[in-house]
Amino acid sequence: MIILSWNCRGLGHTRAVPNFRELVRTHMPTLVFLSETLVLSNKVEEIRIYLGFDGAFSVNCDGRSGGLAVLWRYRDMCSILNYSQNHIDMKLSESSYADWRLTGFYGFPETTRRRQSWSLIRNLAATSTLPWCMIGDFNDILSHAEKRGHIAHPEWMIRGFREAINKSNLHDLPIQGHPFTWERHRGHINSVEEQLDRALATAHWKSRFAQATLTNLLASHSDHSPILLDTEPGGVQTAAWKFRFENRWLKEQELTDIVTGHWIYSGNQDMTGKLHHLSTHLSSWIRRLNQDLKDRIASTKNMLESLRDKEDPTSLSRTQELRDTLSNLLAQHEAYWKQRAKQF
């Protein structure tokens, strides 16, 4: 199972949905947990339908803050156990494994309410004996090594969070890639980076998913990075594919020559054979048309990844340029998919 977790900082933002759709298209998550959606349930349902998820559950935002959502791929795989403004607790069912438990978590950002977050973790730990994993934005760190900035993280907060994790029999899953998942004021003297987003699991869960990996991803929207938990890395994710003719192809000057040439080239084959031959070559042709945009998106992401740990003025300026470029490319890609959806 592939689980995507992201503090998206508002699904109503024009840049948020293209970023989210690109994450879903690229990584094909089975389940997605979103925090700080800043929207109501009708918006989450709209996105569920648009992205093709079978199920969704959301906790409405409180004014202009908060909001949680979970979306899952297959109708009967997820059962909601309980929820609050800070968590969604789920039982997951997979054909190849016994049921297990996943909690999407959003810790209180206010310093004065951290103890409430830790108390919630301990209370959740006592509610079930299923193999358990928590994932999300905890708004806490476990050590000073998980922060980069000129002001040290308060020791009492590190100690309190660590004690809550230990008493709940949870273990931190190591993260691959860039070590920090949240940043603020990058490039300024008071810049801060921290690993606020993480996954925690019980020993029972870790023994069942011994090869599980957690990866820090990129997104041009939000000051939080998405994180991706893969319980079985190396598993093949495939999507059903059917050939469909798209009306927009009629605007391409090459189309007539391609159809005529391959219809003649297919020779004496029967109608079914000719259509199969033609659809195969049309699919290859349209993939080449779409590949340029995908290549530019991938190239921009690679350049952003290479600059992630650099703090010099030139790199910071280039990072902002690339983030704007990526947002524009994703908006183009989003417009293409919206146009395509109207044709069916």
Side-chain angles (χ1 to χ4, degrees):
M1 183 176 290
I2 296 178
I3 297 163
L4 176 70
S5 173
W6 188 28
N7 181 328
C8 59
R9 296 299 301 274
L11 281 176
H13 194 285
T14 54
R15 290 186 174 187
V17 174
N19 267 264
F20 183 30
R21 190 198 170 282
E22 174 66 10
L23 288 166
V24 170
R25 184 194 68 81
T26 302
H27 302 285
M28 298 180 67
T30 322
L31 183 144
V32 176
F33 171 69
L34 300 172
S35 58
E36 283 202 87
T37 61
L38 309 183
V39 297
L40 301 178
S41 58
N42 60 329
K43 179 65 174 180
V44 174
E45 179 64 9
E46 176 187 316
I47 291 173
R48 179 196 72 78
I49 295 170
Y50 176 57
L51 294 180
F53 285 90
D54 276 352
F57 178 82
S58 59
V59 179
N60 288 339
C61 63
D62 182 11
R64 301 183 65 181
S65 63
L68 308 175
V70 59
L71 302 94
W72 56 91
R73 186 70 64 185
Y74 309 113
R75 188 173 303 279
D76 298 323
M77 63 168 286
C78 181
S79 302
I80 304 300
L81 299 175
N82 54 75
Y83 64 93
S84 71
Q85 289 291 330
N86 297 86
H87 83 285
I88 300 177
D89 202 17
M90 301 157 267
K91 182 175 72 173
L92 301 185
S93 301
E94 298 182 79
S95 57
S96 54
Y97 291 100
D99 293 349
W100 58 281
R101 181 180 170 214
L102 177 72
T103 303
F105 193 83
Y106 175 59
F108 286 104
E110 302 91 347
T111 299
T112 56
R113 304 187 73 183
R114 296 297 171 83
R115 288 185 173 85
Q116 291 177 250
S117 293
W118 308 334
S119 178
L120 177 57
I121 293 171
R122 289 192 293 266
N123 290 339
L124 287 168
T127 62
S128 173
T129 58
L130 288 173
W132 184 34
C133 179
M134 298 186 76
I135 192 167
D137 172 15
F138 289 79
N139 273 311
D140 267 310
I141 61 175
L142 286 169
S143 72
H144 290 292
E146 293 183 350
K147 175 171 182 173
R148 180 162 62 188
H150 70 292
I151 299 177
H153 201 79
E155 185 64 42
W156 70 268
M157 289 171 58
I158 293 176
R159 184 172 59 253
F161 183 43
R162 190 186 299 127
E163 288 176 355
I165 298 309
N166 291 338
K167 289 181 179 179
S168 302
N169 296 313
L170 290 165
H171 306 270
D172 188 46
L173 301 183
I175 195 164
Q176 299 178 0
H178 190 66
F180 308 108
T181 64
W182 172 81
E183 65 178 30
R184 177 171 291 173
H185 305 308
R186 189 177 176 195
H188 298 275
I189 191 170
N190 58 342
S191 66
V192 180
E193 288 186 282
E194 297 182 343
Q195 188 191 334
L196 301 182
D197 307 82
R198 64 180 70 246
L200 306 166
T202 59
H204 191 180
W205 189 94
K206 288 181 66 179
S207 66
R208 176 175 294 186
F209 301 108
Q211 303 303 314
T213 60
L214 182 68
T215 306
N216 189 352
L217 304 179
L218 271 170
S220 60
H221 172 73
S222 179
D223 50 8
H224 285 261
S225 303
I227 56 175
L228 192 75
L229 176 63
D230 189 347
T231 62
E232 295 181 283
V236 178
Q237 297 289 314
T238 59
W241 176 87
K242 293 182 179 179
F243 175 80
R244 292 186 178 94
F245 187 87
E246 299 184 22
N247 290 334
R248 73 184 186 93
W249 298 355
L250 296 171
K251 299 178 182 179
E252 300 291 341
Q253 295 180 352
E254 299 175 77
L255 180 63
T256 300
D257 291 339
I258 290 173
V259 172
T260 302
H262 286 291
W263 193 266
I264 295 172
Y265 182 78
S266 58
N268 296 324
Q269 297 183 47
D270 59 17
M271 182 63 71
T272 301
K274 283 179 174 287
L275 289 172
H276 177 73
H277 176 84
L278 179 59
S279 67
T280 299
H281 287 277
L282 281 174
S283 298
S284 298
W285 168 68
I286 202 61
R287 277 198 294 270
R288 287 196 297 272
L289 289 181
N290 294 334
Q291 193 60 48
D292 178 60
L293 181 57
K294 293 179 181 178
D295 286 346
R296 291 168 65 194
I297 290 173
S299 176
T300 304
K301 284 183 175 180
N302 288 337
M303 287 187 284
L304 273 171
E305 188 67 50
S306 69
L307 293 170
R308 246 179 145 174
D309 206 36
K310 296 183 179 179
E311 297 288 330
D312 61 280
T314 301
S315 296
L316 293 171
S317 176
R318 181 61 174 153
T319 294
Q320 188 56 54
E321 290 176 9
L322 289 169
R323 282 180 170 172
D324 291 340
T325 298
L326 181 58
S327 292
N328 291 333
L329 291 171
L330 293 177
Q332 291 178 43
H333 208 208
E334 184 75 359
Y336 156 68
W337 282 104
K338 285 183 177 179
Q339 181 181 5
R340 183 180 181 185
K342 293 177 182 178
Q343 297 173 0
F344 306 118

CSV table of all heavy atoms in Angstrom, one decimal, residues 4-8 23 136 175 178 180-183 194 197-198 215-219 221-228 308 323:
chain,number,residue,atom,x,y,z
A,4,LEU,N,0.1,8.6,0.9
A,4,LEU,CA,0.6,10.0,0.8
A,4,LEU,C,0.1,10.9,1.9
A,4,LEU,O,-1.1,10.8,2.1
A,4,LEU,CB,0.2,10.6,-0.6
A,4,LEU,CG,0.6,12.0,-0.9
A,4,LEU,CD1,2.1,12.2,-1.1
A,4,LEU,CD2,-0.1,12.5,-2.1
A,5,SER,N,0.9,11.6,2.5
A,5,SER,CA,0.5,12.5,3.6
A,5,SER,C,1.1,13.9,3.3
A,5,SER,O,2.2,14.1,2.9
A,5,SER,CB,1.0,12.1,5.0
A,5,SER,OG,0.7,13.0,6.0
A,6,TRP,N,0.2,14.9,3.4
A,6,TRP,CA,0.6,16.3,3.0
A,6,TRP,C,-0.2,17.3,3.8
A,6,TRP,O,-1.4,17.3,3.8
A,6,TRP,CB,0.4,16.5,1.5
A,6,TRP,CG,1.0,17.8,1.0
A,6,TRP,CD1,2.1,18.5,1.5
A,6,TRP,CD2,0.6,18.5,-0.2
A,6,TRP,NE1,2.3,19.6,0.7
A,6,TRP,CE2,1.4,19.6,-0.3
A,6,TRP,CE3,-0.4,18.3,-1.1
A,6,TRP,CZ2,1.3,20.5,-1.4
A,6,TRP,CZ3,-0.6,19.2,-2.1
A,6,TRP,CH2,0.3,20.3,-2.3
A,7,ASN,N,0.5,18.2,4.4
A,7,ASN,CA,-0.1,19.5,4.9
A,7,ASN,C,-0.1,20.4,3.8
A,7,ASN,O,0.9,21.1,3.4
A,7,ASN,CB,0.7,20.0,6.1
A,7,ASN,CG,0.1,21.3,6.7
A,7,ASN,OD1,-0.5,22.1,6.0
A,7,ASN,ND2,0.3,21.5,7.9
A,8,CYS,N,-1.2,20.5,3.1
A,8,CYS,CA,-1.3,21.2,1.8
A,8,CYS,C,-1.6,22.7,1.9
A,8,CYS,O,-1.6,23.4,0.9
A,8,CYS,CB,-2.4,20.6,1.0
A,8,CYS,SG,-4.1,20.6,1.7
A,23,LEU,N,1.1,14.9,-7.7
A,23,LEU,CA,1.5,13.9,-6.8
A,23,LEU,C,0.8,12.5,-6.9
A,23,LEU,O,1.4,11.5,-6.9
A,23,LEU,CB,1.3,14.4,-5.3
A,23,LEU,CG,2.2,15.5,-4.9
A,23,LEU,CD1,1.7,16.2,-3.6
A,23,LEU,CD2,3.7,15.0,-4.7
A,136,GLY,N,1.6,12.0,9.4
A,136,GLY,CA,1.0,13.4,9.3
A,136,GLY,C,2.0,14.5,9.8
A,136,GLY,O,3.2,14.2,9.8
A,175,ILE,N,13.3,8.8,7.5
A,175,ILE,CA,12.9,9.4,6.2
A,175,ILE,C,14.0,9.5,5.2
A,175,ILE,O,15.1,9.8,5.6
A,175,ILE,CB,12.3,10.8,6.5
A,175,ILE,CG1,11.5,11.3,5.3
A,175,ILE,CG2,13.3,11.8,6.9
A,175,ILE,CD1,10.5,12.5,5.7
A,178,HIS,N,15.7,14.6,1.5
A,178,HIS,CA,16.0,15.8,2.3
A,178,HIS,C,15.5,15.6,3.8
A,178,HIS,O,14.3,15.2,4.0
A,178,HIS,CB,15.3,17.0,1.7
A,178,HIS,CG,15.7,18.3,2.3
A,178,HIS,ND1,17.0,18.8,2.2
A,178,HIS,CD2,15.0,19.3,3.0
A,178,HIS,CE1,17.0,20.0,2.8
A,178,HIS,NE2,15.9,20.3,3.3
A,180,PHE,N,14.5,17.6,6.2
A,180,PHE,CA,13.5,18.5,6.8
A,180,PHE,C,12.3,18.6,5.9
A,180,PHE,O,12.4,18.6,4.7
A,180,PHE,CB,14.1,19.9,7.0
A,180,PHE,CG,15.4,19.9,7.7
A,180,PHE,CD1,16.6,20.2,7.0
A,180,PHE,CD2,15.5,19.6,9.0
A,180,PHE,CE1,17.8,20.2,7.7
A,180,PHE,CE2,16.7,19.6,9.7
A,180,PHE,CZ,17.8,19.9,9.1
A,181,THR,N,11.1,18.7,6.5
A,181,THR,CA,9.8,18.6,5.8
A,181,THR,C,9.1,20.0,5.8
A,181,THR,O,8.0,20.1,5.2
A,181,THR,CB,8.9,17.5,6.3
A,181,THR,OG1,8.6,17.8,7.7
A,181,THR,CG2,9.6,16.2,6.2
A,182,TRP,N,9.6,20.9,6.6
A,182,TRP,CA,8.9,22.2,6.7
A,182,TRP,C,10.0,23.3,6.7
A,182,TRP,O,11.1,23.1,7.3
A,182,TRP,CB,8.1,22.3,8.0
A,182,TRP,CG,7.6,23.6,8.3
A,182,TRP,CD1,6.4,24.2,7.8
A,182,TRP,CD2,8.1,24.6,9.2
A,182,TRP,NE1,6.2,25.5,8.4
A,182,TRP,CE2,7.2,25.7,9.2
A,182,TRP,CE3,9.2,24.6,10.1
A,182,TRP,CZ2,7.5,26.9,10.0
A,182,TRP,CZ3,9.5,25.7,10.9
A,182,TRP,CH2,8.6,26.8,10.8
A,183,GLU,N,9.7,24.5,6.1
A,183,GLU,CA,10.7,25.6,6.1
A,183,GLU,C,9.9,26.9,6.2
A,183,GLU,O,8.8,27.0,5.8
A,183,GLU,CB,11.5,25.5,4.8
A,183,GLU,CG,10.7,25.8,3.5
A,183,GLU,CD,11.6,25.8,2.3
A,183,GLU,OE1,12.6,25.1,2.3
A,183,GLU,OE2,11.2,26.5,1.3
A,194,GLU,N,12.6,22.2,9.7
A,194,GLU,CA,12.3,21.2,10.8
A,194,GLU,C,11.7,20.0,10.1
A,194,GLU,O,11.0,20.1,9.1
A,194,GLU,CB,11.4,21.7,11.9
A,194,GLU,CG,12.0,22.9,12.6
A,194,GLU,CD,11.1,23.4,13.8
A,194,GLU,OE1,9.9,23.0,13.7
A,194,GLU,OE2,11.6,24.1,14.7
A,197,ASP,N,6.9,16.6,9.7
A,197,ASP,CA,6.0,15.6,9.1
A,197,ASP,C,6.8,14.2,9.2
A,197,ASP,O,8.0,14.1,8.9
A,197,ASP,CB,5.7,15.9,7.7
A,197,ASP,CG,5.1,17.3,7.5
A,197,ASP,OD1,5.9,18.3,7.5
A,197,ASP,OD2,3.9,17.4,7.5
A,198,ARG,N,6.1,13.2,9.6
A,198,ARG,CA,6.7,11.9,9.9
A,198,ARG,C,5.7,10.8,9.9
A,198,ARG,O,4.5,11.0,9.9
A,198,ARG,CB,7.5,11.9,11.2
A,198,ARG,CG,6.6,12.1,12.4
A,198,ARG,CD,7.5,12.1,13.7
A,198,ARG,NE,8.3,13.3,13.8
A,198,ARG,CZ,9.6,13.4,13.8
A,198,ARG,NH1,10.3,12.2,13.7
A,198,ARG,NH2,10.2,14.5,14.0
A,215,THR,N,9.5,8.5,2.3
A,215,THR,CA,10.3,9.4,1.4
A,215,THR,C,9.7,10.8,1.5
A,215,THR,O,8.5,11.0,1.5
A,215,THR,CB,10.2,8.9,0.0
A,215,THR,OG1,10.6,7.5,-0.1
A,215,THR,CG2,11.1,9.7,-0.9
A,216,ASN,N,10.7,11.8,1.5
A,216,ASN,CA,10.3,13.2,1.5
A,216,ASN,C,10.2,13.6,0.0
A,216,ASN,O,11.2,13.5,-0.7
A,216,ASN,CB,11.5,14.0,2.2
A,216,ASN,CG,11.1,15.4,2.4
A,216,ASN,OD1,10.1,15.9,1.9
A,216,ASN,ND2,11.9,16.1,3.2
A,217,LEU,N,9.1,14.1,-0.4
A,217,LEU,CA,8.8,14.5,-1.7
A,217,LEU,C,8.9,16.0,-1.9
A,217,LEU,O,9.2,16.8,-1.0
A,217,LEU,CB,7.4,14.0,-2.2
A,217,LEU,CG,7.2,12.5,-2.0
A,217,LEU,CD1,5.7,12.2,-2.5
A,217,LEU,CD2,8.2,11.7,-2.8
A,218,LEU,N,8.6,16.5,-3.2
A,218,LEU,CA,8.7,17.9,-3.5
A,218,LEU,C,7.3,18.4,-3.9
A,218,LEU,O,6.5,17.6,-4.5
A,218,LEU,CB,9.6,18.2,-4.7
A,218,LEU,CG,11.1,18.5,-4.4
A,218,LEU,CD1,11.9,18.4,-5.7
A,218,LEU,CD2,11.2,19.8,-3.7
A,219,ALA,N,6.9,19.6,-3.6
A,219,ALA,CA,5.7,20.3,-4.1
A,219,ALA,C,6.0,21.8,-4.1
A,219,ALA,O,6.7,22.3,-3.2
A,219,ALA,CB,4.5,19.9,-3.3
A,221,HIS,N,3.7,24.1,-3.9
A,221,HIS,CA,2.7,24.7,-3.0
A,221,HIS,C,2.8,24.2,-1.6
A,221,HIS,O,3.0,23.0,-1.4
A,221,HIS,CB,1.3,24.5,-3.5
A,221,HIS,CG,0.2,25.0,-2.6
A,221,HIS,ND1,-0.1,26.3,-2.5
A,221,HIS,CD2,-0.6,24.3,-1.8
A,221,HIS,CE1,-1.0,26.4,-1.6
A,221,HIS,NE2,-1.4,25.3,-1.2
A,222,SER,N,2.7,25.1,-0.6
A,222,SER,CA,2.8,24.8,0.8
A,222,SER,C,4.2,24.9,1.3
A,222,SER,O,5.2,24.6,0.6
A,222,SER,CB,2.2,23.4,1.1
A,222,SER,OG,2.3,23.1,2.5
A,223,ASP,N,4.4,25.2,2.6
A,223,ASP,CA,5.7,25.2,3.2
A,223,ASP,C,6.1,23.9,3.8
A,223,ASP,O,7.1,23.7,4.4
A,223,ASP,CB,5.8,26.3,4.3
A,223,ASP,CG,4.7,26.3,5.3
A,223,ASP,OD1,3.9,25.4,5.2
A,223,ASP,OD2,4.6,27.2,6.1
A,224,HIS,N,5.2,22.9,3.6
A,224,HIS,CA,5.4,21.5,4.0
A,224,HIS,C,5.7,20.7,2.8
A,224,HIS,O,5.0,20.8,1.8
A,224,HIS,CB,4.2,21.0,4.8
A,224,HIS,CG,4.1,21.5,6.2
A,224,HIS,ND1,4.5,20.7,7.3
A,224,HIS,CD2,3.6,22.6,6.7
A,224,HIS,CE1,4.3,21.4,8.4
A,224,HIS,NE2,3.7,22.6,8.1
A,225,SER,N,6.6,19.7,3.0
A,225,SER,CA,6.8,18.7,1.9
A,225,SER,C,5.8,17.6,2.1
A,225,SER,O,5.5,17.2,3.2
A,225,SER,CB,8.2,18.1,2.0
A,225,SER,OG,9.2,19.1,1.9
A,226,PRO,N,5.3,17.0,1.0
A,226,PRO,CA,4.5,15.8,1.1
A,226,PRO,C,5.5,14.6,1.5
A,226,PRO,O,6.7,14.7,1.2
A,226,PRO,CB,4.0,15.5,-0.3
A,226,PRO,CG,4.3,16.8,-1.1
A,226,PRO,CD,5.4,17.4,-0.4
A,227,ILE,N,5.0,13.6,2.2
A,227,ILE,CA,5.8,12.4,2.5
A,227,ILE,C,5.0,11.2,2.0
A,227,ILE,O,3.8,11.2,2.0
A,227,ILE,CB,6.1,12.3,4.0
A,227,ILE,CG1,4.8,12.3,4.9
A,227,ILE,CG2,7.0,13.4,4.5
A,227,ILE,CD1,5.1,12.1,6.4
A,228,LEU,N,5.8,10.2,1.6
A,228,LEU,CA,5.2,9.0,1.0
A,228,LEU,C,5.6,7.8,1.7
A,228,LEU,O,6.8,7.5,1.8
A,228,LEU,CB,5.6,8.9,-0.5
A,228,LEU,CG,4.8,7.9,-1.4
A,228,LEU,CD1,3.5,8.5,-1.7
A,228,LEU,CD2,5.6,7.6,-2.6
A,308,ARG,N,17.8,21.9,-2.9
A,308,ARG,CA,17.1,21.8,-1.7
A,308,ARG,C,17.9,22.2,-0.4
A,308,ARG,O,17.4,22.7,0.5
A,308,ARG,CB,16.5,20.4,-1.5
A,308,ARG,CG,15.0,20.5,-1.5
A,308,ARG,CD,14.4,19.1,-1.4
A,308,ARG,NE,13.2,19.2,-0.6
A,308,ARG,CZ,12.4,18.1,-0.4
A,308,ARG,NH1,12.7,17.0,-0.9
A,308,ARG,NH2,11.3,18.3,0.3
A,323,ARG,N,10.2,27.1,-8.6
A,323,ARG,CA,8.9,26.8,-8.0
A,323,ARG,C,7.8,27.5,-8.8
A,323,ARG,O,6.8,26.9,-9.0
A,323,ARG,CB,8.9,27.4,-6.6
A,323,ARG,CG,9.6,26.5,-5.6
A,323,ARG,CD,9.5,27.0,-4.2
A,323,ARG,NE,10.0,26.1,-3.2
A,323,ARG,CZ,10.2,26.3,-1.9
A,323,ARG,NH1,9.9,27.5,-1.4
A,323,ARG,NH2,10.6,25.4,-1.1
